[in-house]
Amino acid sequence: MAPKHHPTPLSGDLRKALGKELGKARAMTTVLAARSLELRTKGEALIKEADKLLAESWNEKMWADGGPIVPSPTVDQAINGGYSWLQIQCSRCMKDRDVDLAALKHPSTTFTHDLASRLRCRKCAKVGRRPAATLQQLAPRSRQLPED
């Protein structure tokens, strides 16, 4: 974008006034930019807190009511809220497993409850069965060490 051109007035007083106003405008840009950055930081912190509360609320509903509660947080909201692990249980062998949401190859706008039909137990898959997983809750970290 080309800089704005302010024609210089012929009168000395008007030139002084124009210079003064341009100086004020330039000073105001730094003040407004700093305020914008401050508000953006506060907003991002509030969104992160809201995503955390949404994940905690969904966990409480899952514990109280059981089953996949609709609506659930999206993958992106869960990760942003600090809950990047999904705890599941195989509906056949009842083995608990943790799934890293950040490592999933699904759009970040996918709802957590939609993952239940897509996640499978590795142990049962080896014997030719592919039962769907049962969602348990979102967690901030894994319960178990990664498998080799």
Side-chain angles (χ1 to χ4, degrees):
M1 185 171 174
K4 191 170 183 180
H5 176 69
H6 299 284
T8 307
L10 297 176
S11 153
D13 289 342
L14 292 178
R15 276 196 306 263
K16 256 191 222 177
L18 177 63
K20 193 175 184 180
E21 290 301 317
L22 288 174
K24 283 182 187 178
R26 289 185 185 114
M28 196 62 176
T29 59
T30 57
V31 170
L32 293 174
R35 180 75 175 136
S36 171
L37 180 62
E38 177 187 327
L39 289 174
R40 184 172 305 279
T41 305
K42 279 184 185 177
E44 288 170 358
L46 286 173
I47 289 172
K48 188 171 187 158
E49 180 68 20
D51 289 343
K52 179 182 177 189
L53 292 173
L54 180 63
E56 289 174 357
S57 168
W58 188 75
N59 281 345
E60 291 297 323
K61 284 185 210 172
M62 286 289 290
W63 182 82
D65 300 335
I69 305 297
V70 180
S72 62
T74 64
V75 172
D76 200 25
Q77 287 172 330
I79 292 171
N80 189 39
Y83 288 82
S84 59
W85 290 90
L86 179 63
Q87 296 175 351
I88 63 171
Q89 184 179 47
C90 176
S91 56
R92 181 180 168 270
C93 68
M94 300 303 181
K95 180 173 172 38
D96 291 335
R97 189 173 138 222
D98 295 338
V99 178
D100 185 6
L101 293 175
L104 290 178
K105 295 182 180 176
H106 295 287
S108 59
T109 56
T110 302
F111 288 100
T112 309
H113 69 269
D114 288 338
L115 296 174
S117 62
R118 300 177 191 170
L119 299 173
R120 305 282 187 236
C121 176
R122 290 185 196 128
K123 181 181 168 189
C124 293
K126 288 179 184 174
V127 293
R129 295 188 173 89
R130 307 232 347 126
T134 304
L135 301 180
Q136 291 181 326
Q137 69 176 3
L138 291 166
R141 60 185 172 277
S142 178
R143 293 179 286 196
Q144 48 205 225
L145 296 173
E147 297 175 7
D148 293 323

